[in-house]
Amino acid sequence: MSAPTDFYLTQLQPLVGGTITALARTGASDDPLDEELYGFVVKCRDGRQRTLLLLCDDEGNGPGSFMYADDE
């Protein structure tokens, strides 16, 4: 059985060897309690472009998380 970390590392694997081409942000929400997210855009070795958004809080009291999507 693999650890939860292995799941996340598998999700990040397509980014290895890619190039960060831009910074990304989600933009402001209509809800004033929602915070804007940020991350970066990666041009991957397979030619696809993916945006990775960082979801960890500023306290740094956990490994955090991320989400990314293929930019098509």
Side-chain angles (χ1 to χ4, degrees):
M1 179 177 191
S2 64
T5 301
D6 293 333
F7 170 79
Y8 290 109
L9 291 175
T10 299
Q11 296 296 306
L12 290 169
Q13 185 62 39
L15 304 178
V16 172
T19 302
I20 296 173
T21 60
L23 299 177
R25 63 191 312 167
T26 59
S29 169
D30 291 335
D31 184 342
L33 298 177
D34 284 344
E35 293 188 32
E36 184 176 16
L37 300 176
Y38 57 90
F40 45 89
V41 178
V42 179
K43 175 80 175 203
C44 299
R45 292 184 320 173
D46 64 6
R48 296 170 85 173
Q49 181 171 285
R50 293 178 170 93
T51 300
L52 181 98
L53 296 175
L54 305 173
L55 303 177
C56 185
D57 63 21
D58 287 337
E59 293 174 3
N61 56 2
S65 191
F66 63 89
M67 68 179 182
Y68 82 86
D70 295 333
D71 297 346
E72 299 182 271

